[in-house]
Each structure stands twice: as structure tokens, then as C-alpha cells.
Amino acid sequence: SSPVRVRSLRGGGGGARCPALLELLSGVFFHSAALQPPPPPPGGQPRAPPQPGGGPVAAAVVAAAAGGAGSLERIRADHERALREAKETLQKLPEEIRRDIRQDKEKLLQDARGRKEAGAPGLPQRLFRQPVGAVGQEPSDPDVRQKRDKIKEMMKHAWDNYKRYAWGLNELKPISKQGHSSNLFGNIQGATIVDALDTLYIMEMKEEFKEAKEWVEKNLDFNVNAEISVFEVNIRFVGGLLSAYYLSGEEVFRKKAVELGEKLLPAFNTPTGIPWALLNIKSGIGRNWPWASGGSSILAEFGTLHLEFVHLSHLSGNPVFAEKVMNIRKVLNRLDKPEGLYPNYLNPSSGQWGQHHVSIGGLGDSFYEYLLKAWLMTDKTDEEGKKMYYDAVQAIETHLIRKSSGGLTYIAEWKGGLLEHKMGHLTCFAGGMFALGADGAPNDRTGHHIELGAEIARTCHESYDRTSMKLGPEAFRFDGGVEAIATRQNEKYYILRPEVIETYMYMWRLTHDPKYRQWGWEAVEALEKHCRVDGGYSGIRDVYNNHESHDDVQQSFFLSETLKYLYLLFSEDDLLPFEHWVFNTEAHPLPVLHKDNGNKEDDQK
Ligand code: DMJ
């Protein structure tokens, strides 16, 4: 095989790192709070604004926001003023006190009305500057440009049909030409619209972006009596809204993201703070999937909130979101891990692992992804996330990664110490993850991590190439005399998943080896041939069959991930560059919170 060319993610590197995420966050919060004009206290000097969902960190933030180094003096002055006011009140007549209370109440009401009209209840004002790389240049090579245009046309076909047959509903049924609702979102509506916003933006589909934004403004409603999947709603809705905000600067997306984030908070009301999988967003009552080992929460679900919740704190000035996800880390770090591996199940009441099943695919996958990306998103200051990621990869290499007799590297699943030689389509994202993390790999193992990414990409490409339709199955095996082939009927389907293309995109960006564009283009041709129908794009029931049996669902992640990663694969590297953006697990780009400007502003153009 050809030698792998390694491209560095960042120039230089190394140097002293800030020790803790909270330090970074403190910069974030101080900034947000400082941008908010403090409401003048009745007849006194300026006071720090109150922070919803307070607690000790919030108090410190408020104090520091009020004056940095002089914050202690300010607190003292506030206390003295409060004492003075109390004394004055004691000297007043009852009628005067009643009048003061009436006036205070009226003022509060007026302020609340004013905030409602301004449309940003409780959110600090924020100066928006578009981060670097929200738009990129046209590809210079005409062939690449043509291919990219084709991918944009695919997006238009998917979007137009959704709009025509399922507008405002969650997903499209492209064969029966009607809406599809998934119970993952309860009766929150519009998953495809929110998931597609950022793809529309980066593809410069301006009219479509505008109509999507108007729908969000008028119709996206979280005040519903609905039991939702906390994970799915977070990665698709919170992630989609955050990206739409960071790309476009439209306040409505920030407001909706924070509003939804607040709705998700009761999920953390468990004895350990490990959140429930399911939450009724009206009643705030949570529970876990009935099938999950002894009432456990799922690693890939509670471990895939971190990036979005850190950004929710950044945008709202409210530290509670970041505190919730930092606590998940704390719980995990207190636990013994079998062979250094993280089981997929953790009981939120006892804080103990459930069944010892370990997977880098379904139930585990994006937990590992978010450890790495938490480190990258904090401009490589989140040392804890970094350590957890590289330690986990070490254990995965030792216990789960194997090579077939035909020379294909694969990642098996681990069940109480025994290996199941099966790899899921979902697991294929790991090729991109290993390559993305190569730059920071300890002990000069950068080349090794890139090579590992390249090997996983090759195996996953084989899983596509060994089918009749050139689209990969849901899971493939390395036992019973087969390699990279699905042997069970219920593992032969393809539901428009992105993970293999995601890995091609990372490998292309990091090596510029042309085979990744070639493999991506093979996937485009297969999608067009087998999944494209009059009414949009559909999944396939059996990719080994010569005749399509369509599953009649156009998944929202086809628009948010599959088409976005294809588009980026055929774009120049200046569109959403890795130095400035990380992608959440649903391919929604979130800006890196750069330390060199004190985390005080998003990176600027
Ligand atoms: C997406 O919703 C996300 O990528 C998630 O992490 C895993 N599954 C789907 C796509 O396959």
C-alpha cells in the first residue's frame, strides 16, 4: 500500500497547556456576562446580572464579571449597600414599604415585558462574529467542481421532496411520499429542517436556508408533552441549532438552542447525575430504555452531550450546562474500568457498570469521539478529555483491534472478555477519529494513528465493495470463513448512513490521498443508482441483492451528515477547516473556542 502522507492539524503544537476546562469556561462566562449591560440597581452603582440556574460557580462568575480583580471589593460594597438599605427600610412607615414593593414589582414586570419584546429572555447580549471558514472557495479543479455540484443537486432533490411531501414533519417517506415520524423526537417536529440547516448554509442554498429559518422561527416548539431521546434531540436539534447560529449569526437559533438545552436539564436529576436516556420534556420525568441492562444509561448517549453543552454555556452565560457534563466525567473517572475499557451500560442510580459489553460502534461510539473532540474544541486545553481519549484508544488497540487473515484491520466487540468478530457500519467512523486524533498521539505515534485510520477506511471500503450495490451493510463479520461481509439477513440493510464517507472525508483532509475522493465518488454513484427515487432518497433492505427493496425512509442524517461529508470531501480545505471547527456526531460544525484570544470571542474572520 502507498505510504501515508501526514498533514499536521496545527502548526507548532506543544507548549504549556491550561490545566482545566473550567479555566477555559471561566473565560467564556466572564466574556458573555461582561457583554451584558448590567441592570442598574435602584438608585445605586451597577450590579452584576443574575445568572439563571446559579450555584457556587455562577456566584463566582457573577462576582468576577462585575469587576475582575476588583470583584472582592465589589462584593463587599454590595453587602454594605444591602445592609444600609435594610436599615433604611426598618426606619420606614408600613405605607412607604408597601409603596416601594409596588414600585419594584412594576419595574420587574416592565423589564420582563421589555425582554420579551427584545426576543431574548434571559440571554446575555452577544457580539456575533462569523468564525473562520463558514464559507470557502470554489474548488479550482473543474472535475472536482462538477462532482461537488452534483452533490449539491442531490441535496436539492432530498430537500425539495421533503418540502413537498413532509414539510414540518420529522422525516420523509420517499416512496409513499408522506411524512415519517420517529418516536425518538416525541412530538417535537421538523427534525429534517433543523438537521439540514447548516448543510443548506455551507452549500449556499440561500432560499432554502431562509425558508428553513422562517419555519424554525414560527413553528419549532418545545412546549410539548413529549417523551424524547435526550441523545437524539441533543445531537440533531441542539447541535443543528448551534451550528446554524455560529454560521449565520441569526439570534433565533441561539435562543432556541438554549431554550431546548434548558428543557433537557431535568434528565440529569438522577442520584449520580448520569442522565436518563428518555425524558418527558413537559413533566421533566426521565427513565431509561427498558431493554438496557438492569435500568442502565447508555455510554454513547450520556457521553455525547459534552460538546453541545459546553457551547450552550458559552452562548447563554449559564455554567449549569457545562457543569452537568463535567460531572459525567467525574463519575466515569471514579470507576474501575475492566482492562481499561468502558462498558456500554452504566446504572445512573448505583453508579455501577451494567453488562460488560464494549463497542466502538452502536452504544459506545460517539463517547470516544467526544473525548477527543472536547480536547480539540477547547483549543487543546481540556487535558482530562485528552488523557481519557488516548488511554481508551490504547485499551481498544490492545483488546479489540484485530487483523483478518486476509490482512483487513477491524474493530471487534467485547462481551465480558470474549470477542465477537463483527464490525458495525457505525464503527467505521473510527477511521476518521483515529486520523483526527493522530496529531496529539503520545509517544510519537502520530504516524501509527493515521495508519490505523487508513486501515479502517480500507476495511470499510471493502465492506461496500463486496456487496452487489456497492453500499455497505449495517454490520459485517470476520468469522465463519468470511471477511467484511454480512452473514445474517438482519444485518444486510443500508439506511443512508454516513460513517464510511465521514472517514473518507477525514482521511482526504489529513492525507490528500486521491483514493478517498475516488471511494467517495463510488458511494455517490451507488446512492444515485439504488437509493434515489422520485420522492427523495431511501434506505435499502439488502445490499447483496441485485434488486432494490426500499425501506421508504429518508433519514434526517442523510442531509445533515452523508451529503455534508460528501460535499466537504469535494471542497477545498478552507471550508470548515479543522483548526477552527469540530463536528458534533451528527456532523454539525461547532467552532473551536480559541485560547489565544482568551476564549473571549469566537475565532474571527
Ligand atoms: C447519526 O445520528 C449519528 O452519527 C450518530 O452518532 C450515530 N448514528 C447516526 C448515523 O448513522
Side-chain angles (χ1 to χ4, degrees):
S1 64
S2 57
V4 176
R5 284 186 293 135
V6 183
R7 305 177 70 242
S8 174
L9 271 184
R10 295 184 65 78
R17 312 280 190 207
C18 301
L21 179 65
L22 278 177
E23 188 177 329
L24 167 81
L25 289 173
S26 62
V28 168
F29 300 143
F30 295 173
H31 174 58
S32 297
L35 272 176
Q36 181 178 21
Q45 72 248 67
R47 197 185 286 155
Q51 301 280 320
V57 177
V61 166
V62 169
S71 56
L72 277 178
E73 285 77 4
R74 188 67 49 83
I75 291 170
R76 202 169 298 129
D78 275 354
H79 279 171
E80 278 163 12
R81 186 173 36 73
L83 273 175
R84 223 176 25 247
E85 282 174 8
K87 270 192 209 153
E88 284 165 14
T89 305
L90 282 173
Q91 286 159 11
K92 279 181 186 169
L93 295 170
E95 183 43 44
E96 283 176 308
I97 295 175
R98 269 196 289 274
R99 188 201 56 213
D100 286 355
I101 292 173
R102 229 177 10 249
Q103 281 174 355
D104 278 356
K105 271 188 178 168
E106 268 160 27
K107 181 157 191 329
L108 278 174
L109 260 175
Q110 263 169 17
D111 287 353
R113 251 182 252 131
R115 280 201 304 273
K116 206 168 176 196
E117 273 150 29
L123 279 188
Q125 282 177 19
R126 185 172 188 279
L127 188 65
F128 175 76
R129 304 265 178 84
Q130 198 179 41
V132 177
V135 281
Q137 287 164 4
E138 280 269 288
S140 50
D141 178 339
D143 177 56
V144 174
R145 215 165 40 231
Q146 216 178 19
K147 289 188 162 120
R148 196 172 84 141
D149 286 347
K150 171 67 199 167
I151 294 156
K152 181 168 171 179
E153 186 277 327
M154 292 168 75
M155 178 71 183
K156 184 134 181 59
H157 183 67
W159 177 261
D160 285 349
N161 279 292
Y162 165 75
K163 192 175 143 190
R164 185 156 174 208
Y165 299 116
W167 184 244
L169 303 173
N170 279 326
E171 290 174 315
L172 163 71
K173 281 163 135 335
I175 306 285
S176 41
K177 299 184 174 167
Q178 59 185 21
H180 170 73
S181 53
S182 150
N183 55 6
L184 298 173
F185 316 120
N187 46 12
I188 298 182
Q189 294 297 333
T192 295
I193 298 178
V194 179
D195 237 2
L197 278 163
D198 51 11
T199 310
L200 295 172
Y201 189 94
I202 65 161
M203 290 187 181
E204 297 180 50
M205 294 171 66
K206 298 198 173 132
E207 260 314 298
E208 289 84 352
F209 182 81
K210 191 166 158 263
E211 64 204 4
K213 188 196 109 186
E214 281 165 11
W215 186 90
V216 168
E217 256 161 1
K218 294 196 190 113
N219 302 292
L220 185 60
D221 183 14
F222 307 126
N223 294 313
V224 288
N225 186 1
E227 187 180 60
I228 50 104
S229 154
V230 175
F231 160 77
E232 294 288 355
V233 165
N234 176 59
I235 64 170
R236 302 193 202 207
F237 284 86
V238 178
L241 291 165
L242 288 172
S243 290
Y245 170 70
Y246 282 116
L247 290 168
S248 70
E250 296 284 356
E251 271 295 310
V252 60
F253 300 128
R254 179 168 75 120
K255 268 193 308 169
K256 295 271 180 191
V258 175
E259 187 192 332
L260 180 54
E262 282 168 0
K263 291 263 174 200
L264 298 182
L265 287 175
F268 294 84
N269 294 339
T270 66
T272 55
I274 295 291
W276 300 113
L278 299 165
L279 177 73
N280 183 306
I281 54 172
K282 181 156 191 245
S283 66
I285 294 174
R287 66 180 175 114
N288 274 337
W289 298 106
W291 48 262
S293 174
S296 290
S297 301
I298 307 287
L299 183 69
E301 297 199 327
F302 64 76
T304 311
L305 304 168
H306 197 101
L307 305 183
E308 296 82 0
F309 274 53
V310 166
H311 268 288
L312 285 175
S313 282
H314 179 63
L315 290 185
S316 66
N318 184 353
V320 70
F321 301 103
E323 285 167 359
K324 297 289 182 201
V325 290
M326 290 311 288
N327 176 61
I328 295 177
R329 288 248 188 107
K330 217 187 278 163
V331 174
L332 288 174
N333 279 327
R334 274 201 298 259
L335 283 167
D336 280 339
K337 288 159 248 337
E339 309 288 355
L341 296 165
Y342 290 84
N344 291 335
Y345 301 104
L346 179 61
N347 190 303
S349 303
S350 66
Q352 298 301 312
W353 299 117
Q355 280 169 351
H356 282 196
H357 287 182
V358 177
S359 161
I360 314 307
L363 308 182
D365 49 9
S366 38
F367 161 69
Y368 304 96
E369 175 186 356
Y370 271 36
L371 293 176
L372 171 64
K373 290 180 176 175
W375 176 57
L376 295 174
M377 195 179 84
T378 54
D379 205 4
K380 303 189 175 178
T381 58
D382 179 0
E383 291 290 337
E384 184 180 54
K386 178 185 185 186
K387 181 171 179 350
M388 289 171 80
Y389 171 71
Y390 289 107
D391 286 353
V393 171
Q394 182 63 55
I396 290 165
E397 277 212 71
T398 310
H399 298 286
L400 269 62
I401 298 191
R402 295 289 178 267
K403 204 172 222 156
S404 71
S405 49
L408 294 178
T409 301
Y410 62 96
I411 312 177
E413 307 213 341
W414 194 84
K415 297 196 166 161
L418 296 177
L419 279 191
E420 189 178 9
H421 298 270
K422 155 184 144 177
M423 184 163 166
H425 191 289
L426 290 165
T427 320
C428 287
F429 91 97
M433 177 179 75
F434 292 143
L436 181 66
D439 217 22
N443 310 322
D444 294 329
R445 284 171 62 89
T446 299
H448 172 72
H449 279 225
I450 285 272
E451 188 56 50
L452 199 54
E455 287 182 23
I456 298 298
R458 183 161 79 95
T459 300
C460 293
H461 175 255
E462 284 302 314
S463 79
Y464 274 49
D465 208 43
R466 295 176 187 196
T467 70
S468 323
M469 295 192 182
K470 307 291 175 200
L471 290 167
E474 180 67 3
F476 42 93
R477 298 196 173 247
F478 296 84
D479 56 15
V482 302
E483 297 199 354
I485 288 181
T487 50
R488 304 187 183 183
Q489 196 52 40
N490 65 0
E491 294 174 347
K492 294 184 178 172
Y493 62 89
Y494 171 68
I495 55 167
L496 305 173
R497 285 201 192 278
E499 291 76 17
V500 177
I501 292 163
E502 173 180 352
T503 278
Y504 296 162
M505 192 280 291
Y506 279 104
M507 292 310 303
W508 162 256
R509 280 263 178 113
L510 296 164
T511 69
H512 280 182
D513 183 332
K515 76 175 174 230
Y516 297 114
R517 277 189 167 165
Q518 188 193 313
W519 291 352
W521 193 248
E522 286 170 14
V524 167
E525 289 177 326
L527 284 165
E528 286 299 272
K529 189 160 174 208
H530 302 290
C531 301
R532 186 176 180 131
V533 292
D534 273 358
Y537 288 86
S538 166
I540 297 283
R541 291 212 172 86
D542 181 353
V543 288
Y544 296 90
N545 206 313
N546 287 319
H547 301 288
E548 296 94 17
S549 167
H550 291 119
D551 70 3
D552 199 13
V553 182
Q554 179 175 284
Q555 305 280 347
S556 76
F557 54 67
F558 181 64
L559 291 88
S560 73
E561 293 196 72
T562 313
L563 291 175
K564 186 188 286 123
Y565 285 135
L566 279 170
Y567 189 78
L568 291 173
L569 178 60
F570 291 94
S571 293
E572 302 288 322
D573 296 354
D574 66 344
L575 181 57
L576 302 176
F578 295 168
E579 292 92 330
H580 298 286
W581 297 87
V582 294
F583 294 90
N584 90 338
T585 196
E586 187 81 357
H588 294 305
L590 300 171
V592 170
L593 299 166
H594 283 291
K595 63 171 181 260
D596 41 9
N597 51 18
N599 308 308
K600 287 194 171 173
E601 194 48 84
D602 306 327
D603 205 13
Q604 326 263 301
K605 249 202 286 205

